[in-house]
Amino acid sequence: MANADAAADRTDSGGGDDDATRVDHLMDGLRAFGANYTEFTRRFATWLGLHSTDAAALVEILYAEDQGTPLSPARLSERVSLSSGATAILLKRLEQAGHIVRTRESTDRRVVTLRSSPEIRPRAEAFFGPYAERMAEAMSAYSPQEIRRFEDFIGRLRSTMDALLADEYRDGGPAVRDGGPTA
């Protein structure tokens, strides 16, 4: 979190009030927040004795359940950017470790739903509880109107990233025009 704090300090100290500088500071803060979130997932993996990719998948499964929209293996594959084969191997490891269960909740019995096991949920809550509490505390400083604006802002950034990944970066990098690689 030191990187995010440093970005905030630069902004608070009046180190540049022009719009471009503010955008740079904001982008630096978002990058640092993303790096910190990745570090939380890495530490969760270490805490559980898992590979970081397995822990990231487990976090996605837990989060989707919390949102009331449990994942299918195909959707998880998209969320963690793995092939369907690699996802199947990952799910087998998580299932054998007792961290997830696969269920068939749909009337279409071919549809598999991923659920966290009853044993892993309390451990995940113990690990991420302080994170959730501190984030809620930090956000409580803002009015509901400000939170709505932040939601809109983050939603727009996410849509932009999703579109870039699906279009311009779908083959691993941007298409370069005028004599360079193309898509």
Side-chain angles (χ1 to χ4, degrees):
M1 294 229 174
N3 291 337
D5 292 341
D9 289 345
R10 284 193 308 273
T11 303
D12 293 343
S13 67
D17 290 340
D18 69 325
D19 290 341
T21 301
R22 287 180 188 263
V23 168
D24 286 347
H25 289 174
L26 182 58
M27 292 302 292
D28 185 50
L30 289 168
R31 184 212 49 79
F33 181 84
N36 286 341
Y37 187 83
T38 299
E39 180 62 13
F40 267 96
T41 302
R42 188 194 67 74
R43 291 184 188 193
F44 183 57
T46 300
W47 194 64
L48 291 176
L50 296 175
H51 184 277
S52 60
T53 303
D54 292 11
L58 183 56
V59 167
E60 290 293 334
I61 292 166
L62 288 159
Y63 180 76
E65 273 186 307
D66 289 346
Q67 299 304 306
T69 55
L71 298 175
S72 67
R75 184 69 181 120
L76 176 65
S77 178
E78 293 169 6
R79 295 279 263 296
V80 295
S81 300
L82 292 176
S83 68
S84 60
T87 301
I89 293 167
L90 176 148
L91 290 173
K92 184 176 180 181
R93 283 193 306 264
L94 289 176
E95 196 170 36
Q96 287 176 339
H99 298 321
I100 66 157
V101 293
R102 300 180 217 211
T103 63
R104 297 190 188 275
E105 302 168 15
S106 172
T107 54
D108 182 346
R109 303 302 292 164
R110 296 171 295 176
V111 176
V112 173
T113 301
L114 303 173
R115 297 265 180 199
S116 61
S117 70
E119 295 80 25
I120 198 62
R121 179 149 300 272
R123 294 182 74 193
E125 289 171 355
F127 185 88
F128 285 106
Y131 170 87
E133 289 171 16
R134 295 265 183 107
M135 289 296 136
E137 181 182 321
M139 287 186 260
S140 72
Y142 298 94
S143 72
Q145 296 82 10
E146 289 173 308
I147 295 294
R148 280 193 290 279
R149 290 198 66 199
F150 297 151
E151 284 178 315
D152 178 62
F153 173 70
I154 294 296
R156 287 175 188 240
L157 290 180
R158 183 175 176 188
S159 294
T160 299
M161 292 289 284
D162 288 345
L164 279 166
L165 291 169
D167 299 331
E168 194 166 336
Y169 289 80
R170 74 179 167 275
D171 296 323
V176 178
R177 292 160 184 75
D178 300 329
T182 58

